[in-house]
Amino acid sequence: MTSGAITAPSPASAAAPTPQRIGVPRETFPGEKRVATVPDVVGKLVKLGFGVVVETGAGERADLSDGAYREAGASIAASAAELWASADIVFKVRPPTPEEVVLMRAGQTLIGFVWPAQNPELMQQLAARKVTVLAIDALPRTLSRAQKMDALTSMAGVSGYRAVVEAANAFGRFFNGQITAAGKVPPAKVFIAGAGVAGLAAIGAAASLGAIVRANDTRAEVADQVVSLGGEFVKVDYEEEGSGGGGYAKVMSEGFQAAQRAMYAQQAKECDIIITTALIPGKPAPRLITAEMVQSMKPGSVIVDMAAEQGGNCELTVPGEAVVRHGVTIVGYTDLASRMAFQSSTLYGTNLFRLTEELCKTKDGVIHVNMQDDAIRGLTVIKDGEITWPAPPIAAAPKPAPKPAAPVAEKKGGHGHGSSGPLPAKTLAVIFGLGALAFWAIGAYAPAAFLGHFTVFVLACFIGYMVVWNVTPALHTPLMSVTNAISSIIVIGALVQILPPEAGSNGRPDALIQWLAFAGIVLTAVNMFGGFAVTRRMLAMFRK
């Protein structure tokens, strides 16, 4: 190459995409303290090749300073207008307001909670801006690989925990039982309506505080989960399956609802705290707790209505407020997750990072919305200004083809050499004949003493096989199996020796041998019965 030659850029460098910028605005919804990402996640986004810009003050209500974001690699925008103008991708918690929609431009991507079924006007406004919208609340939760992106589950877990904290604050008494010099304090009784993610989180938190926890759900399969967390599953006296699509509950029949109301009325009279979590996607929250039930509760009791934002499960709930009705405090806060802003923001930011990993598998700072991916297709409610919601149902995975049955070897009399089936009749006859001849030779020529010991040996082997080898291996540990096998042989040998021997045989001290044999039987019996006792106890651990 001459010194004046000009080197052409390689195709790879010429086609290198320009990294996109992720913008994180300050949430403008009244009372919202969460932020869409945190400094720890910013560093991970930068490693994926993205630039990150955060609006000043976006994280201050979650105890996250602008300086922390700068140290993680983000730049700070002085205003919302500056942030929306400079960002290619926008992470949000709450759906955008009309003022924020106006700031959006064609080609931008919005990722956050949108609730397309509840916000049709917002969907039209976003489509008019020619943007792409990924609604994190529309994630297909039935996909196992989508769990790492499931922000609904993350927020529900935080809300369930916080609901117990709010209940404890309003209750003003011990959750666990106390025995003091002043007297005995009974534990609080907590009833949780709905054992989804939020309900299970509430069960775990209330049980850890020492309360007696009861729970109910229309889905029978969650009963084991309730019990595993320390709660008691209260069953409705009406047979009907309540599982709906996507892991949610379905609307139940009128007969079931009547039986359920009777059960709730009974729990309201007995329990100190009720936490309701029942929601059905796209529908108002079902009314589970009536005014009459509230009136029947003991004075000082508490109801935490986690469905207040969708109308509430309690008839007397006031969304966003805590009110007292008939001596019962009814907590209808709609910002339970926001009341733990740092924790919620960390979990939510991690969910969005996992989604970004799926969108940017090349790690070059550019996302690709793959509409052939079931998870991404379900999330995408608007693509380049075209409304694509609702997504088509996900095709069920094909059932694996049944394995072909193993060929069964034909039984042919006198034939079958080379097969793994039973031995032919001629072969068995030859084996038994040789065995009988061997026993005859031993009986005819061996000494009488040897024949007696040989008989004991054969019997010991046979009995050992029947009492150890013939038992299912899962019922014994290897150590117990070997111990019992040896013990069986010892017991048989001792039983033979304890019998009175022939007079003067071999000049043995007869009494000494009998006492030694007796001691051997006693010790071996202790060993054998102890082994079976341990086995029985071990098996009991696996019984419900």
Side-chain angles (χ1 to χ4, degrees), residues 26-35 58 61 93-94 334-335 337-339 341 344-345:
R26 180 187 177 99
E27 297 294 326
T28 59
F29 188 86
E32 182 58 69
K33 299 178 182 178
R34 290 172 292 177
V35 61
R61 287 171 290 185
V93 178
R94 294 277 184 169
T334 58
D335 59 347
S338 183
R339 287 171 179 255
S344 299
S345 300

Side-chain angles (χ1 to χ4, degrees), residues 100-123:
E100 290 174 323
V101 172
V102 172
L103 296 175
M104 298 188 73
R105 67 178 189 277
Q108 270 185 325
T109 300
L110 172 68
I111 303 176
F113 286 106
V114 178
W115 308 108
Q118 290 87 350
N119 296 307
E121 293 183 7
L122 174 62
M123 291 286 288

Side-chain angles (χ1 to χ4, degrees), residues 468 471-478 480-481 535 538-539 542:
V468 178
V471 176
T472 304
L475 300 180
H476 295 282
T477 64
M480 290 178 185
S481 299
T535 301
M538 191 169 63
L539 292 175
F542 297 93

Side-chain angles (χ1 to χ4, degrees), residues 121-140:
E121 293 183 7
L122 174 62
M123 291 286 288
Q124 295 296 333
Q125 294 171 4
L126 291 169
R129 304 300 294 184
K130 303 296 182 184
V131 298
T132 296
V133 180
L134 276 67
I136 198 70
D137 48 273
L139 177 74

Side-chain angles (χ1 to χ4, degrees), residues 16-298:
T18 303
Q20 294 177 312
R21 300 188 78 188
I22 296 174
V24 182
R26 180 187 177 99
E27 297 294 326
T28 59
F29 188 86
E32 182 58 69
K33 299 178 182 178
R34 290 172 292 177
V35 61
T37 197
V38 297
D40 286 345
V41 175
V42 167
K44 298 176 182 178
L45 293 171
V46 171
K47 289 181 180 179
L48 283 180
F50 294 95
V52 181
V53 55
V54 180
E55 182 181 351
T56 183
E60 65 181 9
R61 287 171 290 185
D63 299 323
L64 298 167
S65 65
D66 290 350
Y69 282 106
R70 283 196 186 93
E71 290 178 5
S75 57
I76 304 298
S79 65
E82 179 183 335
L83 180 131
W84 287 90
S86 61
D88 303 296
I89 307 160
V90 177
F91 285 178
K92 272 190 60 61
V93 178
R94 294 277 184 169
T97 63
E99 294 77 16
E100 290 174 323
V101 172
V102 172
L103 296 175
M104 298 188 73
R105 67 178 189 277
Q108 270 185 325
T109 300
L110 172 68
I111 303 176
F113 286 106
V114 178
W115 308 108
Q118 290 87 350
N119 296 307
E121 293 183 7
L122 174 62
M123 291 286 288
Q124 295 296 333
Q125 294 171 4
L126 291 169
R129 304 300 294 184
K130 303 296 182 184
V131 298
T132 296
V133 180
L134 276 67
I136 198 70
D137 48 273
L139 177 74
R141 303 174 78 184
T142 54
L143 298 174
S144 58
R145 70 182 186 86
Q147 294 177 0
K148 62 184 178 182
M149 303 178 276
D150 191 355
L152 280 174
T153 295
S154 297
M155 297 302 99
V158 175
S159 297
Y161 178 89
R162 183 68 190 198
V164 175
V165 174
E166 296 293 342
N169 178 60
F171 188 50
R173 282 173 268 174
F174 291 136
F175 261 49
N176 63 333
Q178 297 277 347
I179 299 177
T180 68
K184 182 179 179 181
V185 180
K189 294 181 180 179
V190 179
F191 178 71
I192 296 171
V197 176
L200 292 174
I203 292 168
S208 66
L209 290 174
I212 297 173
V213 184
R214 303 170 184 171
N216 168 262
D217 196 281
T218 57
R219 297 160 293 185
E221 64 267 20
V222 304
D224 289 341
Q225 300 176 42
V226 172
V227 174
S228 69
L229 289 170
E232 174 192 351
F233 188 79
V234 183
K235 194 174 184 297
V236 177
D237 191 17
Y238 193 97
E239 294 298 329
E240 183 177 352
E241 176 54 43
S243 296
Y248 294 96
K250 70 175 183 179
V251 179
M252 306 300 287
S253 67
E254 186 56 41
F256 181 92
Q257 293 181 34
Q260 188 182 52
R261 283 192 293 270
M263 183 269 289
Y264 283 157
Q266 182 64 32
Q267 295 300 321
K269 294 177 182 178
E270 297 178 4
C271 293
D272 304 297
I273 296 169
I274 296 178
I275 298 175
T276 64
T277 70
L279 280 175
I280 298 172
K283 296 182 180 294
R287 289 296 170 86
L288 305 178
I289 309 298
T290 63
E292 290 77 13
M293 295 180 194
V294 175
Q295 194 169 2
S296 71
M297 296 181 73
K298 292 173 284 189

Side-chain angles (χ1 to χ4, degrees), residues 256-441:
F256 181 92
Q257 293 181 34
Q260 188 182 52
R261 283 192 293 270
M263 183 269 289
Y264 283 157
Q266 182 64 32
Q267 295 300 321
K269 294 177 182 178
E270 297 178 4
C271 293
D272 304 297
I273 296 169
I274 296 178
I275 298 175
T276 64
T277 70
L279 280 175
I280 298 172
K283 296 182 180 294
R287 289 296 170 86
L288 305 178
I289 309 298
T290 63
E292 290 77 13
M293 295 180 194
V294 175
Q295 194 169 2
S296 71
M297 296 181 73
K298 292 173 284 189
S301 298
V302 178
I303 296 175
V304 180
D305 193 341
M306 294 184 63
E309 195 166 2
Q310 280 75 40
N313 296 137
C314 178
E315 188 177 350
L316 301 181
T317 295
V318 178
E321 298 182 20
V323 297
V324 179
R325 298 287 185 269
H326 307 294
V328 178
T329 302
I330 304 173
V331 179
Y333 297 148
T334 58
D335 59 347
L336 290 173
S338 183
R339 287 171 179 255
M340 300 184 70
F342 180 85
Q343 186 69 73
S344 299
S345 300
T346 301
L347 294 175
Y348 184 68
T350 302
N351 292 140
L352 295 191
F353 167 69
R354 296 303 181 190
L355 172 58
T356 307
E357 281 185 319
E358 293 293 318
L359 295 170
C360 180
K361 293 184 177 180
T362 54
K363 298 183 179 181
D364 57 358
V366 177
I367 65 170
H368 172 60
V369 180
N370 181 12
M371 299 296 276
Q372 304 303 315
D373 185 311
D374 287 336
I376 303 304
R377 175 64 187 89
L379 284 166
T380 308
V381 296
I382 299 176
K383 181 72 164 68
D384 297 327
E386 179 184 352
I387 296 178
T388 59
W389 185 87
I394 299 174
K399 294 182 179 179
K403 294 182 179 180
V408 180
E410 287 188 28
K411 294 182 180 179
K412 296 182 181 180
H415 300 282
H417 295 285
S419 67
S420 58
L423 293 174
K426 288 184 178 180
T427 305
L428 286 174
V430 172
I431 292 175
F432 277 110
L434 292 174
L437 184 62
F439 276 107
W440 176 83

Side-chain angles (χ1 to χ4, degrees), residues 493-512:
L495 285 173
V496 172
Q497 296 298 331
I498 203 171
L499 295 175
E502 296 179 5
S505 60
N506 299 329
R508 293 178 301 175
D510 299 335
L512 178 60

